[in-house]
Amino acid sequence: MSETASQNKDPQNKQSGNKQSHWMSRMLAPQSIALVGASEKPDSFGLRTKRLLENHAYAGSLYPVNPRYQEVEGVACYPNIESLPIVPDLVVLVIGSHAVEAVFDKAIELEVGGMVIYVNNYLEEDRSPTLLQRLKTKARKANMPVCGGNGMGFYNYRANTLVSFDFPPERPAGHIAFIAHSGSVMTYLANTDPRLMFNLAVSPGQEIHGTVADYMLYALAQPSTRVLAIFVETIRDPARFMLALIRARKQQIPVIVVKVGCTEQSARMAAGHSGAVAGDDGAFQAICDHYGAIRVADIDQLAATALAFSQPRRPGKGDLSSLLDSGGLREQMIDLGEGMALKFTQLTDHSRKQLEKFLEYGLVAENPVDAMGALNADIAEIYRNCLNILADDPGTAMVSLEFEFRDNFSQYPALLDVAKAFIDLTDKPLIVVNSSVNANNAATASELGQFGIPVINGVSLALSAMANMFRYRDYIFFDTPVMAQAMAHAMESRGNDLDNKTLAYWRDRLQNTRALGEVESLQLLADFNLPCVRSRVSDNLDDAVAAAEALGYPVVLKSAQPDLHHKSEADGVRLSLMNADAVGHAYHDIANRLGARVMVATMIESGVELAFGMINDPQFGAIVMVCAGGIYIELLKDRRFIPAPCGVEEALYSIQSLNIFKILKGVRGKPPCRVDLAAQMLSEFSKVAFELRDVISEIDLNPVIVSSEACTIVDALVISSNV
């Protein structure tokens, strides 16, 4: 669904009087709710939903609907929604799947603002199309948003509207917008630790009409949103999802994502390395990297990172300064931080000398700082001074304070007051850390959270959250020459600057074949001015020797059998052949085992091997990959994915993000490689991949040799979409 379409179909219910800008506003911030299936039966979903709304001070009109009741807990009950005195903004269905469709149809007829459906909408012996498909078709035709089915509803804390059959703990409205496909995941985070303070939590379930992307866009339109936390199983509306990511980046609102179901397509058999290495998770990673979304591994990291971002402050230029209450935990933090590429501030001499004034003898004035000395010392005063010194250091971008505390107990309760006071003395963010993930301190953490101080239990979770804050900072602020140009390129119309005749020739060729051989694959790339090794195909020894003589020694001899895509694995490559005799020996060996057809190619000077690839993802389109090449492509899994086409700036940024970039820069006296040429080639390759995406499923360029003088494609495989 396009943004224009959403705006055009924004429902404006004159009878309800609820006129709001977003097309989901009447559903998510309703002024009136009809509860279909209301009941006085203890623990029924209908009664639980009613009481949840009332307990959280829902201020709108609530209409129980059930023909079996005259009233529910003293509130007048109506037999059906058409008998209500107004057209409700929201209809909540707390009924079985067999009864859903009739009420659904009536709600559409009345033009209600939206619906929440708890049940899974599956019927035994259902006809085709199924109930779920019928509901989706009807809702989309009427443009009526529907939250669910098979979900837990939603909590809109800013509107005091909590629609669910579960009971979250009391907490003030916050700044985390949380969207989870899984209803259980929603309850695990939204119904447990009160330190997580939400403005919105939604369980879209089956997304009858309203995808994760739609809820993201709604949340981004709310002034209270500081961070989006997303748990997704699939992306049903890729274009709108990317639009939401673009909006989030413009508004500098971080998007934290857990994506599950990543291996289904990745495990499929693929003819090319690129498909085998990438799969659909590679495509999703490319979208996240491109638009600055932060992927995390699980819901604990999701919660910790969202909590860190929920404060109003962001780290500026510099690194992390940490104050702890233990030497052992200090060492643990250093070890873990290095594994996460988290940098600790190198304190100035002045800062260290200032710390020495307050630290007891034997404690080291180096960051991270262990400030816990004798138990009878004035710990609060020591910590207050040390925190201020760390915050004042010009290399400090963010401060963490670690000490042991639990609800109703702390060896040093005054440190909580130190934290509260510190936040008024600096504009730098402060994260309070309890090194034990099992610490029972939710109430204390909730209290500090209301001062704008996140409390994260578990040093690994805390460090990963802070590392994510720095990564987001670097993406948004300090890599702006690279990423701003990359984003500008992404949002431009993707015009074709390649030769149309050449495109037409290769499009026709690819429509009539399953895969191009290596020579023809290289020719395709060369036709678009990508530097490729010179080569010829031979079917006998005499022709192979003649080709070697024409190309000039040394040469490479490879099997060119049409169905042999991975020659190295079949021992079908011979390198550095210096004369005709060497070519003859190599030819006989390869021809006897693999077939008479061979390719003779010039030998390229040594360099660092990269690999470029392309997959045509069914959701996100053409995705290009750059990674460590040669035999290391699948062993090291050192790779980056980029939506095609990409500019030179983004290509360079991706190459520099690889571990192999350290080798490309030159090691042990070797000159640096021409990374600039590699970035230029990757950008041009991405244009070819994008323009031919309708006829290509995969491309595999491996290796691409980058030397101090050149960047050359040595081997290529192009798989058409006919496979």
Side-chain angles (χ1 to χ4, degrees):
M1 179 176 58
S2 68
E3 181 179 19
T4 303
S6 293
Q7 291 173 343
N8 288 343
K9 57 188 183 179
D10 218 358
Q12 300 290 328
N13 190 332
K14 296 181 180 180
Q15 296 180 64
S16 75
N18 185 0
K19 297 184 179 182
Q20 302 183 50
S21 58
H22 194 277
W23 75 286
M24 285 186 159
S25 292
R26 288 181 63 203
M27 179 179 74
L28 294 175
Q31 294 178 7
S32 55
I33 299 175
L35 184 57
V36 179
S39 171
E40 289 189 342
K41 184 184 298 184
D43 290 328
S44 66
F45 283 7
L47 187 59
R48 292 169 68 89
T49 301
K50 176 179 178 291
R51 288 182 175 175
L52 179 63
L53 284 161
E54 293 171 341
N55 292 347
H56 284 79
Y58 174 64
S61 302
L62 182 60
Y63 299 98
V65 176
N66 192 329
R68 298 178 181 177
Y69 291 90
Q70 294 295 315
E71 60 179 39
V72 174
E73 294 190 322
V75 179
C77 188
Y78 295 81
N80 47 55
I81 58 173
E82 55 266 40
S83 64
L84 296 174
I86 66 166
V87 174
D89 288 327
L90 173 63
V91 173
V92 182
L93 296 188
V94 195
I95 53 180
S97 296
H98 66 282
V100 164
E101 192 165 18
V103 181
F104 195 94
D105 291 344
K106 183 56 67 174
I108 289 176
E109 181 183 329
L110 293 174
E111 298 184 358
V112 306
M115 303 184 75
V116 169
I117 302 177
Y118 297 147
V119 295
N120 62 18
N121 301 297
Y122 295 135
L123 299 175
E124 291 186 17
E125 301 180 0
D126 197 5
R127 57 188 170 87
S128 182
T130 64
L131 172 62
L132 179 59
Q133 290 302 320
R134 296 196 299 273
L135 297 181
K136 287 185 175 184
T137 299
K138 292 175 180 180
R140 291 169 186 176
K141 183 177 180 180
N143 192 41
M144 182 181 69
V146 180
C147 182
N150 199 30
M152 298 291 294
F154 67 85
Y155 305 151
N156 188 337
Y157 281 93
R158 295 287 169 174
N160 290 330
T161 306
L162 278 67
V163 179
S164 183
F165 51 87
D166 211 339
F167 288 94
E170 291 292 333
R171 72 186 82 197
H175 302 281
I176 302 171
F178 176 41
I179 305 159
H181 268 141
S182 167
S184 295
V185 170
M186 174 181 156
T187 60
Y188 283 147
L189 294 190
N191 291 7
T192 52
D193 197 334
R195 82 187 68 200
L196 293 168
M197 289 178 261
F198 304 94
N199 62 346
L200 180 70
V202 182
S203 168
Q206 294 164 326
E207 295 182 316
I208 288 176
H209 191 33
T211 64
V212 165
D214 291 312
Y215 293 105
M216 291 171 67
L217 289 166
Y218 177 86
L220 289 168
Q222 310 309 307
S224 58
T225 300
R226 290 179 184 162
V227 57
L228 283 168
I230 313 295
F231 181 96
V232 294
E233 297 168 352
T234 188
I235 301 298
R236 292 190 174 98
D237 191 348
R240 200 154 174 78
F241 179 70
M242 289 186 283
L243 172 64
L245 294 180
I246 291 171
R247 285 235 186 123
R249 188 191 184 282
K250 282 185 175 180
Q251 295 174 223
Q252 295 183 11
I253 294 176
V255 179
I256 320 301
V257 185
V258 171
K259 171 72 165 62
V260 295
C262 301
T263 60
E264 181 178 351
Q265 289 193 20
S266 300
R268 67 182 170 85
M269 294 299 293
H273 282 294
S274 304
V277 173
D280 92 315
D281 189 55
F284 186 77
Q285 185 65 56
I287 297 303
C288 290
D289 289 343
H290 187 69
Y291 294 110
I294 300 169
R295 287 190 74 179
V296 294
D298 54 38
I299 61 173
D300 290 326
Q301 291 184 14
L302 183 74
T305 304
L307 182 60
F309 275 114
S310 67
Q311 64 176 324
R313 304 175 181 194
R314 299 285 185 268
K317 194 169 186 178
D319 299 311
L320 175 65
S321 291
S322 297
L323 189 64
L324 301 94
D325 68 353
S326 163
L329 293 176
R330 172 181 180 267
E331 293 162 13
Q332 177 183 248
M333 180 175 281
I334 293 170
D335 292 342
L336 292 171
E338 183 173 344
M340 298 178 189
L342 185 62
K343 296 180 180 179
F344 292 98
T345 307
Q346 295 296 313
L347 299 175
T348 64
D349 289 340
H350 174 74
S351 295
R352 287 197 295 271
K353 289 177 181 178
Q354 290 296 108
L355 285 170
E356 288 171 354
K357 294 179 181 179
F358 300 100
L359 294 176
E360 287 195 11
Y361 178 77
L363 295 177
V364 182
E366 291 183 5
N367 181 41
V369 180
D370 168 22
M372 185 59 68
L375 296 180
N376 59 354
D378 189 350
I379 297 299
E381 186 64 21
I382 292 172
Y383 270 65
R384 180 179 295 107
N385 286 299
C386 290
L387 275 177
N388 291 340
I389 292 166
L390 292 177
D392 289 341
D393 190 280
T396 296
M398 180 162 55
V399 180
S400 73
L401 170 61
E402 188 278 341
F403 64 102
E404 197 275 335
F405 63 96
R406 305 185 294 277
D407 287 343
N408 304 315
F409 173 80
S410 174
Q411 291 282 5
Y412 304 99
L415 293 185
L416 298 171
D417 295 325
V418 169
K420 296 173 187 176
F422 173 80
I423 208 71
D424 294 326
L425 300 176
T426 179
D427 60 355
K428 297 178 181 180
L430 171 68
I431 307 288
V432 170
V433 180
N434 189 306
S435 286
S436 173
V437 73
N438 298 312
N440 182 13
N441 58 11
T444 306
S446 180
E447 178 187 350
L448 286 175
Q450 295 180 54
F451 284 83
I453 305 171
V455 177
I456 302 177
N457 289 349
V459 66
S460 291
L461 287 174
L463 290 175
S464 68
M466 290 185 278
N468 285 331
M469 292 187 76
F470 282 115
R471 290 190 193 100
Y472 186 75
R473 174 204 66 181
D474 292 345
Y475 181 92
I476 292 292
F477 296 108
F478 297 120
D479 285 316
T480 47
V482 171
M483 298 316 298
Q485 292 179 59
M487 290 300 298
H489 188 278
M491 296 195 298
E492 288 172 356
S493 59
R494 290 167 164 175
N496 169 23
D497 59 358
L498 302 176
D499 181 74
N500 287 327
K501 288 185 178 179
T502 306
L503 284 170
Y505 169 81
W506 285 109
R507 182 171 284 110
D508 180 70
R509 175 74 184 97
L510 287 159
Q511 286 173 338
N512 293 283
T513 189
R514 291 172 58 85
L516 302 180
E518 182 177 354
V519 171
E520 198 172 13
S521 294
L522 289 169
Q523 186 60 55
L524 180 154
L525 299 164
D527 283 354
F528 292 104
N529 300 315
L530 292 172
C532 299
V533 65
R534 293 186 300 125
S535 62
R536 282 174 47 177
V537 173
S538 303
D539 290 306
N540 56 68
L541 174 59
D542 291 340
D543 194 29
V545 172
E549 300 285 348
L551 292 170
Y553 294 106
V555 297
V556 177
L557 194 72
K558 304 180 183 181
S559 173
Q561 290 302 116
D563 295 328
L564 185 62
H565 294 152
H566 302 304
K567 303 169 187 64
S568 296
E569 288 87 336
D571 192 25
V573 180
R574 294 292 179 269
L575 305 175
S576 301
L577 306 178
M578 304 301 296
N579 51 50
D581 287 341
V583 171
H585 287 300
Y587 181 85
H588 284 303
D589 175 51
I590 290 176
N592 288 338
R593 290 184 297 107
L594 302 175
R597 190 172 180 82
V598 298
M599 184 184 85
V600 184
T602 55
M603 188 77 186
I604 300 298
E605 75 169 288
S606 63
V608 178
E609 293 186 349
L610 295 179
F612 296 167
M614 171 264 192
I615 59 166
N616 200 351
D617 185 77
Q619 287 187 307
F620 297 107
I623 304 292
V624 295
M625 175 189 70
V626 57
C627 65
I631 63 173
Y632 300 111
I633 182 170
E634 293 180 18
L635 293 176
L636 298 182
K637 299 189 183 300
D638 180 22
R639 58 189 183 269
R640 294 279 293 193
F641 302 96
I642 319 169
C646 69
V648 176
E649 298 85 3
E650 189 171 11
L652 179 61
Y653 181 81
S654 297
I655 294 171
Q656 290 173 337
S657 300
L658 298 172
N659 291 328
I660 202 171
F661 179 65
K662 299 171 186 175
I663 301 175
L664 287 165
K665 289 192 298 182
V667 293
R668 296 188 176 181
K670 292 186 178 181
C673 298
R674 291 295 302 271
V675 176
D676 58 328
L677 295 181
Q680 180 67 41
M681 179 187 286
L682 181 57
S683 174
E684 293 302 315
F685 168 66
S686 76
K687 296 176 184 177
V688 176
F690 179 77
E691 292 297 341
L692 293 175
R693 66 194 184 282
D694 57 323
V695 289
I696 291 177
S697 65
E698 298 175 33
I699 305 176
D700 183 23
L701 312 184
N702 183 32
V704 175
I705 296 181
V706 190
S707 70
S708 60
E709 300 294 334
C711 180
T712 309
I713 301 168
V714 174
D715 196 347
L717 173 65
V718 178
I719 310 294
S720 80
S721 54
N722 292 328
V723 172

